[in-house]
Amino acid sequence: MSDAGTSLAALVRAAAERDPAAPAVVAGDQRLSWGELDAAVDRVAAGYAERGMATGSRVAVQLPNGLDWLRAVLGALRAGLTVVPVNTAYTDPELEYVLTDSGAELLVAVAERSSLAGVPVCPGPPTADGPVPAVADDPAALAFLCYTSGTTGRPRGAMLTSGALRANQEQCLAMTPPPVRGDDRVLLVLPLFHVYGLNAGFGLVAATGACAVLEETFDPRASLALMAAEQVTAVPGAPPMYQAWLATADAAGSDADLRRAFAAVRVASAGAAPLPEGVWRAMRDRAAVTVWEGYGLTEAAPVVASTLATGRAKPECIGGPVPGLELVLRDTAAVGAVTVDLPDEETGTGEDDGGDNDEGPGEIWVRGPNLFAGYWPDGADGPDADGWLGTGDLAYRDADGDLHLVDRRSDLILVSGFNVYPAEVERVLDQHPAVVESAVIGVPDPRTGAAVRAVVVLAPGERLTVEELQAYAGESLARYKVPTSVHFLASLPHSLTGKVSRARLRELGLTGADADAVVPAGSPADG
């Protein structure tokens, strides 16, 4: 690990010392050099100290992307505090839960109120001109409590140390080409309260001394104009962003603005959700840019794998593990609770294992210095005694050794003992010209143990019967993979990063075993 220090605040100080006049942040009409940002962080750190907050205290930050977010978070880290980043879309009950569970002593937010759940609210980062607290830069110090949505139950706070965040930065920067270089201008429209925008975004900017081009909210047309005006060279993104940019070009009837925005882009990446092959190819053909896809999770701070790590850009592929991270696929069908690593020479066969591939599918397990310290407050469910962490995600390796995600282990549907991966079924359904989007979940079945249910959104004005959709799916899927029931909705619930939330569909009661075909009255599919 480098000697620049491990915390984000230490990296800001190091960048300021190297070149204080170098541009650090562009946020609307505001522009700060690294020297100016470093000084602003000092004032906020003094502000926290003036409020009597001691080392290790938790401060929750619920602010949109912008200079205030950076000042509030970096100032807290410099003061030795632990930051609890909060989703700006959280309702008061959701926010109250996070505040109570984390034991936060202060909430920095835009809300004009004095307190919430007994926690004082500060409207923006506190500032003071007093002395900055002298806090040792300890890689083992708890830097962030990042609350994950989880698949069931309440969110849990993933404990990320400064050392874990720094380790993942160095793992990412060891790839060729690196996702961020010191001379880059990096578009940061990913939410900074999400670990992807936080560390794979701003963390890499701070580690390299690059320049962050911040957008408070994502507007596809405005962001294209901003990218062109600021000559953005690096874009960490999520699939919905690329889909929106392509749709904006379609609406304009020209790819001119799209190409202009990406003209200077050196590296464009995608993570947080699978990137459809059609979007990957359209960006290559229409924007003249290769999108390097990756995979990660909050508990890994967050990047685990990327096609940048292998140098082989492929659609619907997450490449290989980042340097310095061990990754194995483990057999999820082993006897009892024991899992075994799949040997490299094992070759999957048949319909259920992802087709022709060299290994898997199996659950992704990882080991490395970037892993979290378990869940708040006692470190529960962290890496095992040997340092390994099961991700719950299933993948297989192709003939080149590159990884392809299959699905969440928890979303796997076992029909008469045969594995059905929802993502495989969804890819087929989504190809139907009348289907905008689909999600597949398992429902109880007395005969087969589980059955496949599809939840489908149709394009405006389209009509489709359950039988027609089943017949279409049957052309590409084995019979047991074809949905036995279909529920039509106007839209599907999504997570912040664009993933369809199957957990939310379950909460809506769409996993009941009633009716073989579910078509709500008045649905465009009815009749």
Side-chain angles (χ1 to χ4, degrees), residues 224-289:
L224 289 177
L226 177 66
M227 290 168 63
E230 295 294 339
Q231 293 292 287
V232 163
T233 59
V235 179
M241 293 167 55
Y242 294 104
Q243 291 168 317
W245 282 324
L246 290 168
T248 297
D250 290 338
S254 169
D255 289 338
D257 289 344
L258 183 68
R259 283 185 172 261
R260 190 176 300 114
F262 281 89
V265 172
R266 180 184 63 82
V267 173
S269 56
L275 183 70
E277 179 176 355
V279 176
W280 186 89
R281 294 193 183 280
M283 288 300 298
R284 184 191 61 182
D285 297 340
R286 296 170 55 185
V289 66

Short mmCIF file of all heavy atoms in Angstrom, two decimals, residues 224-289:
data_model
loop_
_atom_site.label_atom_id
_atom_site.label_comp_id
_atom_site.label_asym_id
_atom_site.label_seq_id
_atom_site.Cartn_x
_atom_site.Cartn_y
_atom_site.Cartn_z
N LEU A 224 -24.83 14.74 -21.56
CA LEU A 224 -24.11 14.68 -22.83
C LEU A 224 -23.48 16.03 -23.16
O LEU A 224 -22.33 16.10 -23.61
CB LEU A 224 -25.04 14.23 -23.96
CG LEU A 224 -25.50 12.77 -23.95
CD1 LEU A 224 -26.49 12.51 -25.09
CD2 LEU A 224 -24.32 11.82 -24.07
N ALA A 225 -24.24 17.10 -22.92
CA ALA A 225 -23.71 18.44 -23.18
C ALA A 225 -22.55 18.76 -22.24
O ALA A 225 -21.54 19.34 -22.64
CB ALA A 225 -24.83 19.48 -23.03
N LEU A 226 -22.70 18.37 -20.98
CA LEU A 226 -21.64 18.61 -20.00
C LEU A 226 -20.37 17.85 -20.37
O LEU A 226 -19.26 18.39 -20.26
CB LEU A 226 -22.13 18.18 -18.61
CG LEU A 226 -21.12 18.31 -17.47
CD1 LEU A 226 -20.77 19.77 -17.22
CD2 LEU A 226 -21.66 17.67 -16.19
N MET A 227 -20.51 16.59 -20.78
CA MET A 227 -19.35 15.79 -21.15
C MET A 227 -18.58 16.43 -22.30
O MET A 227 -17.35 16.48 -22.30
CB MET A 227 -19.78 14.38 -21.53
CG MET A 227 -20.26 13.54 -20.34
SD MET A 227 -21.10 12.03 -20.87
CE MET A 227 -19.74 11.18 -21.72
N ALA A 228 -19.32 16.96 -23.27
CA ALA A 228 -18.67 17.61 -24.42
C ALA A 228 -17.99 18.90 -23.99
O ALA A 228 -16.84 19.17 -24.37
CB ALA A 228 -19.69 17.87 -25.52
N ALA A 229 -18.68 19.70 -23.18
CA ALA A 229 -18.14 21.00 -22.77
C ALA A 229 -16.91 20.84 -21.89
O ALA A 229 -15.96 21.63 -22.00
CB ALA A 229 -19.21 21.80 -22.03
N GLU A 230 -16.90 19.84 -21.00
CA GLU A 230 -15.80 19.66 -20.06
C GLU A 230 -14.75 18.68 -20.56
O GLU A 230 -13.79 18.39 -19.84
CB GLU A 230 -16.34 19.19 -18.70
CG GLU A 230 -17.21 20.22 -18.00
CD GLU A 230 -16.43 21.46 -17.58
OE1 GLU A 230 -15.19 21.38 -17.46
OE2 GLU A 230 -17.07 22.51 -17.39
N GLN A 231 -14.94 18.16 -21.77
CA GLN A 231 -13.99 17.20 -22.34
C GLN A 231 -13.73 16.04 -21.39
O GLN A 231 -12.57 15.71 -21.05
CB GLN A 231 -12.68 17.91 -22.70
CG GLN A 231 -12.81 18.90 -23.84
CD GLN A 231 -13.11 18.19 -25.18
OE1 GLN A 231 -12.24 17.57 -25.76
NE2 GLN A 231 -14.36 18.26 -25.63
N VAL A 232 -14.82 15.42 -20.95
CA VAL A 232 -14.73 14.28 -20.03
C VAL A 232 -13.97 13.14 -20.69
O VAL A 232 -14.20 12.81 -21.86
CB VAL A 232 -16.14 13.83 -19.61
CG1 VAL A 232 -16.12 12.44 -19.00
CG2 VAL A 232 -16.73 14.84 -18.62
N THR A 233 -13.07 12.51 -19.93
CA THR A 233 -12.25 11.42 -20.49
C THR A 233 -12.49 10.07 -19.84
O THR A 233 -12.02 9.05 -20.34
CB THR A 233 -10.76 11.77 -20.34
OG1 THR A 233 -10.46 11.95 -18.95
CG2 THR A 233 -10.40 13.03 -21.11
N ALA A 234 -13.20 10.04 -18.71
CA ALA A 234 -13.48 8.77 -18.03
C ALA A 234 -14.92 8.79 -17.52
O ALA A 234 -15.36 9.79 -16.93
CB ALA A 234 -12.52 8.54 -16.87
N VAL A 235 -15.63 7.69 -17.76
CA VAL A 235 -17.04 7.61 -17.38
C VAL A 235 -17.31 6.31 -16.63
O VAL A 235 -17.43 5.25 -17.24
CB VAL A 235 -17.96 7.68 -18.62
CG1 VAL A 235 -19.43 7.58 -18.20
CG2 VAL A 235 -17.72 8.95 -19.40
N PRO A 236 -17.37 6.35 -15.29
CA PRO A 236 -17.91 5.20 -14.56
C PRO A 236 -19.43 5.28 -14.60
O PRO A 236 -20.01 6.29 -14.19
CB PRO A 236 -17.37 5.40 -13.14
CG PRO A 236 -17.11 6.87 -13.02
CD PRO A 236 -16.89 7.41 -14.40
N GLY A 237 -20.07 4.24 -15.11
CA GLY A 237 -21.51 4.33 -15.32
C GLY A 237 -22.25 3.07 -14.92
O GLY A 237 -21.66 2.08 -14.48
N ALA A 238 -23.56 3.13 -15.09
CA ALA A 238 -24.45 2.00 -14.86
C ALA A 238 -25.30 1.81 -16.11
O ALA A 238 -25.51 2.77 -16.87
CB ALA A 238 -25.33 2.26 -13.63
N PRO A 239 -25.78 0.60 -16.34
CA PRO A 239 -26.54 0.34 -17.58
C PRO A 239 -27.65 1.34 -17.88
O PRO A 239 -27.79 1.75 -19.04
CB PRO A 239 -27.09 -1.08 -17.34
CG PRO A 239 -26.03 -1.73 -16.52
CD PRO A 239 -25.56 -0.65 -15.58
N PRO A 240 -28.47 1.78 -16.90
CA PRO A 240 -29.53 2.73 -17.26
C PRO A 240 -29.00 4.03 -17.85
O PRO A 240 -29.70 4.67 -18.65
CB PRO A 240 -30.23 2.98 -15.92
CG PRO A 240 -29.96 1.77 -15.11
CD PRO A 240 -28.58 1.35 -15.49
N MET A 241 -27.78 4.43 -17.49
CA MET A 241 -27.22 5.65 -18.06
C MET A 241 -26.96 5.48 -19.56
O MET A 241 -27.34 6.34 -20.37
CB MET A 241 -25.91 6.00 -17.35
CG MET A 241 -26.09 6.41 -15.90
SD MET A 241 -24.53 6.46 -14.96
CE MET A 241 -23.53 7.56 -15.98
N TYR A 242 -26.34 4.37 -19.93
CA TYR A 242 -26.05 4.13 -21.35
C TYR A 242 -27.34 3.95 -22.15
O TYR A 242 -27.46 4.43 -23.29
CB TYR A 242 -25.13 2.92 -21.50
CG TYR A 242 -23.76 3.14 -20.92
CD1 TYR A 242 -23.39 2.57 -19.70
CD2 TYR A 242 -22.83 3.95 -21.57
CE1 TYR A 242 -22.13 2.80 -19.15
CE2 TYR A 242 -21.56 4.17 -21.02
CZ TYR A 242 -21.22 3.59 -19.81
OH TYR A 242 -19.98 3.82 -19.26
N GLN A 243 -28.32 3.29 -21.56
CA GLN A 243 -29.60 3.13 -22.24
C GLN A 243 -30.27 4.48 -22.45
O GLN A 243 -30.84 4.74 -23.52
CB GLN A 243 -30.50 2.20 -21.40
CG GLN A 243 -30.02 0.76 -21.38
CD GLN A 243 -30.73 -0.08 -20.33
OE1 GLN A 243 -30.94 0.36 -19.20
NE2 GLN A 243 -31.09 -1.31 -20.68
N ALA A 244 -30.19 5.36 -21.45
CA ALA A 244 -30.80 6.69 -21.57
C ALA A 244 -30.09 7.54 -22.61
O ALA A 244 -30.74 8.29 -23.36
CB ALA A 244 -30.79 7.38 -20.21
N TRP A 245 -28.76 7.45 -22.66
CA TRP A 245 -28.03 8.22 -23.67
C TRP A 245 -28.40 7.77 -25.09
O TRP A 245 -28.58 8.60 -25.98
CB TRP A 245 -26.53 8.08 -23.44
CG TRP A 245 -26.02 8.93 -22.31
CD1 TRP A 245 -26.46 10.18 -21.96
CD2 TRP A 245 -24.97 8.61 -21.38
NE1 TRP A 245 -25.74 10.65 -20.88
CE2 TRP A 245 -24.83 9.72 -20.50
CE3 TRP A 245 -24.14 7.50 -21.22
CZ2 TRP A 245 -23.89 9.74 -19.48
CZ3 TRP A 245 -23.20 7.52 -20.19
CH2 TRP A 245 -23.07 8.62 -19.33
N LEU A 246 -28.51 6.47 -25.27
CA LEU A 246 -28.91 5.97 -26.60
C LEU A 246 -30.33 6.40 -26.93
O LEU A 246 -30.62 6.78 -28.08
CB LEU A 246 -28.79 4.45 -26.62
CG LEU A 246 -27.36 3.89 -26.58
CD1 LEU A 246 -27.39 2.39 -26.30
CD2 LEU A 246 -26.61 4.16 -27.89
N ALA A 247 -31.22 6.37 -25.95
CA ALA A 247 -32.61 6.78 -26.19
C ALA A 247 -32.69 8.26 -26.53
O ALA A 247 -33.51 8.68 -27.36
CB ALA A 247 -33.46 6.47 -24.96
N THR A 248 -31.84 9.06 -25.89
CA THR A 248 -31.80 10.50 -26.19
C THR A 248 -31.36 10.73 -27.63
O THR A 248 -31.93 11.59 -28.34
CB THR A 248 -30.84 11.22 -25.23
OG1 THR A 248 -31.34 11.08 -23.89
CG2 THR A 248 -30.70 12.68 -25.56
N ALA A 249 -30.38 9.97 -28.07
CA ALA A 249 -29.94 10.08 -29.47
C ALA A 249 -31.04 9.64 -30.42
O ALA A 249 -31.25 10.24 -31.48
CB ALA A 249 -28.67 9.25 -29.69
N ASP A 250 -31.76 8.58 -30.05
CA ASP A 250 -32.87 8.12 -30.88
C ASP A 250 -33.94 9.21 -31.01
O ASP A 250 -34.47 9.46 -32.09
CB ASP A 250 -33.51 6.86 -30.28
CG ASP A 250 -32.60 5.64 -30.38
OD1 ASP A 250 -31.70 5.64 -31.24
OD2 ASP A 250 -32.79 4.70 -29.59
N ALA A 251 -34.25 9.86 -29.88
CA ALA A 251 -35.27 10.90 -29.88
C ALA A 251 -34.84 12.10 -30.72
O ALA A 251 -35.68 12.76 -31.35
CB ALA A 251 -35.58 11.34 -28.45
N ALA A 252 -33.54 12.37 -30.72
CA ALA A 252 -33.02 13.50 -31.51
C ALA A 252 -32.89 13.16 -32.99
O ALA A 252 -32.72 14.05 -33.82
CB ALA A 252 -31.66 13.93 -30.96
N GLY A 253 -32.96 11.86 -33.30
CA GLY A 253 -32.82 11.44 -34.69
C GLY A 253 -31.41 11.52 -35.21
O GLY A 253 -31.18 11.47 -36.42
N SER A 254 -30.44 11.62 -34.29
CA SER A 254 -29.03 11.73 -34.70
C SER A 254 -28.14 11.29 -33.55
O SER A 254 -28.45 11.49 -32.38
CB SER A 254 -28.71 13.19 -35.07
OG SER A 254 -27.32 13.38 -35.21
N ASP A 255 -26.98 10.71 -33.91
CA ASP A 255 -25.98 10.32 -32.92
C ASP A 255 -24.92 11.39 -32.73
O ASP A 255 -23.91 11.16 -32.06
CB ASP A 255 -25.30 9.01 -33.35
CG ASP A 255 -26.23 7.81 -33.24
OD1 ASP A 255 -27.20 7.89 -32.47
OD2 ASP A 255 -25.98 6.80 -33.93
N ALA A 256 -25.13 12.58 -33.31
CA ALA A 256 -24.09 13.61 -33.28
C ALA A 256 -23.73 14.02 -31.85
O ALA A 256 -22.55 14.09 -31.49
CB ALA A 256 -24.55 14.83 -34.09
N ASP A 257 -24.74 14.30 -31.02
CA ASP A 257 -24.46 14.71 -29.64
C ASP A 257 -23.84 13.57 -28.85
O ASP A 257 -22.98 13.79 -27.98
CB ASP A 257 -25.75 15.18 -28.96
CG ASP A 257 -26.25 16.51 -29.50
OD1 ASP A 257 -25.46 17.20 -30.16
OD2 ASP A 257 -27.43 16.83 -29.27
N LEU A 258 -24.27 12.36 -29.13
CA LEU A 258 -23.72 11.19 -28.44
C LEU A 258 -22.24 11.05 -28.76
O LEU A 258 -21.40 10.87 -27.85
CB LEU A 258 -24.49 9.95 -28.87
CG LEU A 258 -24.12 8.62 -28.22
CD1 LEU A 258 -24.49 8.61 -26.75
CD2 LEU A 258 -24.81 7.46 -28.95
N ARG A 259 -21.90 11.16 -30.03
CA ARG A 259 -20.49 11.01 -30.43
C ARG A 259 -19.65 12.18 -29.92
O ARG A 259 -18.49 12.00 -29.52
CB ARG A 259 -20.38 10.90 -31.95
CG ARG A 259 -20.77 9.52 -32.47
CD ARG A 259 -20.52 9.40 -33.98
NE ARG A 259 -20.71 8.03 -34.42
CZ ARG A 259 -19.74 7.16 -34.62
NH1 ARG A 259 -18.48 7.52 -34.41
NH2 ARG A 259 -20.00 5.94 -35.03
N ARG A 260 -20.23 13.37 -29.92
CA ARG A 260 -19.49 14.54 -29.44
C ARG A 260 -19.18 14.38 -27.95
O ARG A 260 -18.07 14.70 -27.49
CB ARG A 260 -20.32 15.80 -29.67
CG ARG A 260 -19.57 17.10 -29.43
CD ARG A 260 -20.44 18.31 -29.79
NE ARG A 260 -20.84 18.28 -31.18
CZ ARG A 260 -22.10 18.12 -31.61
NH1 ARG A 260 -23.08 17.97 -30.74
NH2 ARG A 260 -22.38 18.11 -32.89
N ALA A 261 -20.13 13.86 -27.18
CA ALA A 261 -19.94 13.70 -25.74
C ALA A 261 -18.85 12.68 -25.43
O ALA A 261 -18.10 12.84 -24.46
CB ALA A 261 -21.25 13.28 -25.08
N PHE A 262 -18.79 11.63 -26.24
CA PHE A 262 -17.82 10.56 -25.97
C PHE A 262 -16.54 10.70 -26.79
O PHE A 262 -15.68 9.82 -26.73
CB PHE A 262 -18.46 9.20 -26.24
CG PHE A 262 -19.35 8.72 -25.13
CD1 PHE A 262 -20.69 9.06 -25.10
CD2 PHE A 262 -18.83 7.96 -24.08
CE1 PHE A 262 -21.52 8.64 -24.06
CE2 PHE A 262 -19.64 7.54 -23.04
CZ PHE A 262 -21.00 7.88 -23.03
N ALA A 263 -16.37 11.81 -27.49
CA ALA A 263 -15.21 11.97 -28.37
C ALA A 263 -13.89 11.91 -27.61
O ALA A 263 -12.90 11.37 -28.10
CB ALA A 263 -15.32 13.29 -29.14
N ALA A 264 -13.86 12.47 -26.40
CA ALA A 264 -12.61 12.50 -25.64
C ALA A 264 -12.52 11.37 -24.61
O ALA A 264 -11.50 11.26 -23.92
CB ALA A 264 -12.49 13.85 -24.91
N VAL A 265 -13.55 10.52 -24.52
CA VAL A 265 -13.58 9.50 -23.48
C VAL A 265 -12.55 8.41 -23.75
O VAL A 265 -12.55 7.78 -24.81
CB VAL A 265 -15.00 8.89 -23.36
CG1 VAL A 265 -14.98 7.68 -22.41
CG2 VAL A 265 -15.98 9.94 -22.84
N ARG A 266 -11.69 8.22 -22.77
CA ARG A 266 -10.65 7.20 -22.85
C ARG A 266 -11.14 5.86 -22.33
O ARG A 266 -10.86 4.81 -22.92
CB ARG A 266 -9.44 7.69 -22.04
CG ARG A 266 -8.25 6.75 -22.01
CD ARG A 266 -7.15 7.29 -21.09
NE ARG A 266 -7.59 7.39 -19.71
CZ ARG A 266 -7.61 6.37 -18.85
NH1 ARG A 266 -7.18 5.16 -19.23
NH2 ARG A 266 -8.02 6.53 -17.60
N VAL A 267 -11.87 5.88 -21.23
CA VAL A 267 -12.39 4.66 -20.63
C VAL A 267 -13.83 4.90 -20.17
O VAL A 267 -14.10 5.84 -19.43
CB VAL A 267 -11.56 4.20 -19.41
CG1 VAL A 267 -12.23 3.02 -18.72
CG2 VAL A 267 -10.16 3.80 -19.83
N ALA A 268 -14.73 4.04 -20.65
CA ALA A 268 -16.11 4.03 -20.17
C ALA A 268 -16.35 2.66 -19.54
O ALA A 268 -15.97 1.64 -20.11
CB ALA A 268 -17.10 4.28 -21.31
N SER A 269 -16.94 2.65 -18.37
CA SER A 269 -17.16 1.38 -17.68
C SER A 269 -18.61 1.28 -17.22
O SER A 269 -19.32 2.28 -17.13
CB SER A 269 -16.21 1.23 -16.49
OG SER A 269 -16.33 2.32 -15.61
N ALA A 270 -19.02 0.07 -16.93
CA ALA A 270 -20.38 -0.16 -16.44
C ALA A 270 -20.34 -1.18 -15.31
O ALA A 270 -19.57 -2.14 -15.36
CB ALA A 270 -21.29 -0.66 -17.56
N GLY A 271 -21.15 -0.95 -14.32
CA GLY A 271 -21.26 -1.88 -13.21
C GLY A 271 -22.61 -1.70 -12.54
O GLY A 271 -23.47 -0.98 -13.03
N ALA A 272 -22.79 -2.35 -11.40
CA ALA A 272 -23.99 -2.27 -10.56
C ALA A 272 -25.14 -3.12 -11.06
O ALA A 272 -25.98 -3.51 -10.28
CB ALA A 272 -24.45 -0.82 -10.39
N ALA A 273 -25.18 -3.42 -12.35
CA ALA A 273 -26.22 -4.28 -12.91
C ALA A 273 -25.70 -4.79 -14.25
O ALA A 273 -24.81 -4.18 -14.86
CB ALA A 273 -27.53 -3.51 -13.10
N PRO A 274 -26.23 -5.90 -14.74
CA PRO A 274 -25.76 -6.43 -16.03
C PRO A 274 -26.06 -5.46 -17.18
O PRO A 274 -27.13 -4.87 -17.24
CB PRO A 274 -26.56 -7.73 -16.19
CG PRO A 274 -26.94 -8.12 -14.80
CD PRO A 274 -27.16 -6.82 -14.07
N LEU A 275 -25.11 -5.32 -18.08
CA LEU A 275 -25.26 -4.46 -19.25
C LEU A 275 -25.73 -5.31 -20.42
O LEU A 275 -25.03 -6.23 -20.85
CB LEU A 275 -23.93 -3.79 -19.59
CG LEU A 275 -23.95 -2.81 -20.77
CD1 LEU A 275 -24.72 -1.55 -20.39
CD2 LEU A 275 -22.52 -2.45 -21.19
N PRO A 276 -26.93 -5.04 -20.96
CA PRO A 276 -27.43 -5.85 -22.07
C PRO A 276 -26.49 -5.80 -23.28
O PRO A 276 -25.89 -4.76 -23.57
CB PRO A 276 -28.78 -5.20 -22.41
CG PRO A 276 -29.19 -4.51 -21.15
CD PRO A 276 -27.91 -4.03 -20.53
N GLU A 277 -26.40 -6.93 -23.98
CA GLU A 277 -25.51 -6.99 -25.14
C GLU A 277 -25.87 -5.94 -26.17
O GLU A 277 -24.98 -5.33 -26.79
CB GLU A 277 -25.57 -8.39 -25.76
CG GLU A 277 -24.68 -8.53 -26.98
CD GLU A 277 -24.65 -9.94 -27.55
OE1 GLU A 277 -25.25 -10.84 -26.92
OE2 GLU A 277 -24.01 -10.14 -28.61
N GLY A 278 -27.17 -5.71 -26.39
CA GLY A 278 -27.57 -4.72 -27.38
C GLY A 278 -27.08 -3.33 -27.06
O GLY A 278 -26.70 -2.57 -27.96
N VAL A 279 -27.06 -2.98 -25.78
CA VAL A 279 -26.57 -1.67 -25.36
C VAL A 279 -25.06 -1.59 -25.54
O VAL A 279 -24.53 -0.58 -26.01
CB VAL A 279 -26.97 -1.40 -23.89
CG1 VAL A 279 -26.38 -0.08 -23.40
CG2 VAL A 279 -28.49 -1.40 -23.74
N TRP A 280 -24.36 -2.66 -25.17
CA TRP A 280 -22.90 -2.71 -25.34
C TRP A 280 -22.52 -2.49 -26.81
O TRP A 280 -21.63 -1.70 -27.13
CB TRP A 280 -22.38 -4.05 -24.83
CG TRP A 280 -20.89 -4.20 -24.80
CD1 TRP A 280 -20.06 -3.87 -23.78
CD2 TRP A 280 -20.05 -4.71 -25.85
NE1 TRP A 280 -18.75 -4.16 -24.11
CE2 TRP A 280 -18.72 -4.68 -25.38
CE3 TRP A 280 -20.31 -5.21 -27.13
CZ2 TRP A 280 -17.65 -5.11 -26.15
CZ3 TRP A 280 -19.23 -5.64 -27.90
CH2 TRP A 280 -17.92 -5.59 -27.41
N ARG A 281 -23.21 -3.19 -27.69
CA ARG A 281 -22.90 -3.08 -29.12
C ARG A 281 -23.30 -1.71 -29.69
O ARG A 281 -22.60 -1.14 -30.52
CB ARG A 281 -23.58 -4.20 -29.90
CG ARG A 281 -23.05 -5.59 -29.54
CD ARG A 281 -23.50 -6.67 -30.51
NE ARG A 281 -23.02 -7.98 -30.09
CZ ARG A 281 -21.79 -8.43 -30.30
NH1 ARG A 281 -20.91 -7.65 -30.93
NH2 ARG A 281 -21.43 -9.64 -29.88
N ALA A 282 -24.42 -1.18 -29.22
CA ALA A 282 -24.86 0.13 -29.71
C ALA A 282 -23.88 1.22 -29.30
O ALA A 282 -23.61 2.14 -30.09
CB ALA A 282 -26.26 0.43 -29.19
N MET A 283 -23.35 1.17 -28.09
CA MET A 283 -22.37 2.16 -27.67
C MET A 283 -21.09 2.05 -28.49
O MET A 283 -20.50 3.07 -28.86
CB MET A 283 -22.05 1.98 -26.18
CG MET A 283 -23.16 2.41 -25.23
SD MET A 283 -23.62 4.15 -25.39
CE MET A 283 -22.09 4.97 -24.95
N ARG A 284 -20.70 0.86 -28.82
CA ARG A 284 -19.50 0.67 -29.64
C ARG A 284 -19.73 1.19 -31.05
O ARG A 284 -18.86 1.89 -31.62
CB ARG A 284 -19.13 -0.81 -29.70
CG ARG A 284 -17.85 -1.11 -30.45
CD ARG A 284 -17.68 -2.58 -30.71
NE ARG A 284 -18.79 -3.12 -31.52
CZ ARG A 284 -18.93 -4.39 -31.86
NH1 ARG A 284 -18.05 -5.27 -31.44
NH2 ARG A 284 -19.94 -4.78 -32.60
N ASP A 285 -20.89 0.88 -31.61
CA ASP A 285 -21.14 1.23 -33.00
C ASP A 285 -21.56 2.69 -33.18
O ASP A 285 -21.17 3.33 -34.17
CB ASP A 285 -22.24 0.33 -33.58
CG ASP A 285 -21.83 -1.14 -33.61
OD1 ASP A 285 -20.61 -1.42 -33.54
OD2 ASP A 285 -22.72 -2.00 -33.66
N ARG A 286 -22.33 3.22 -32.23
CA ARG A 286 -22.90 4.55 -32.41
C ARG A 286 -22.12 5.65 -31.69
O ARG A 286 -22.06 6.78 -32.17
CB ARG A 286 -24.36 4.55 -31.96
CG ARG A 286 -25.25 3.64 -32.79
CD ARG A 286 -26.63 3.46 -32.18
NE ARG A 286 -27.28 4.73 -31.94
CZ ARG A 286 -28.46 4.85 -31.33
NH1 ARG A 286 -29.09 3.76 -30.90
NH2 ARG A 286 -29.00 6.04 -31.16
N ALA A 287 -21.54 5.33 -30.53
CA ALA A 287 -20.78 6.33 -29.79
C ALA A 287 -19.28 6.16 -29.97
O ALA A 287 -18.49 6.96 -29.47
CB ALA A 287 -21.12 6.26 -28.30
N ALA A 288 -18.90 5.08 -30.68
CA ALA A 288 -17.48 4.78 -30.94
C ALA A 288 -16.70 4.63 -29.64
O ALA A 288 -15.57 5.11 -29.51
CB ALA A 288 -16.86 5.87 -31.82
N VAL A 289 -17.31 3.97 -28.64
CA VAL A 289 -16.64 3.75 -27.37
C VAL A 289 -16.89 2.32 -26.91
O VAL A 289 -17.97 1.77 -27.11
CB VAL A 289 -17.14 4.75 -26.30
CG1 VAL A 289 -18.61 4.51 -25.95
CG2 VAL A 289 -16.28 4.69 -25.05
#
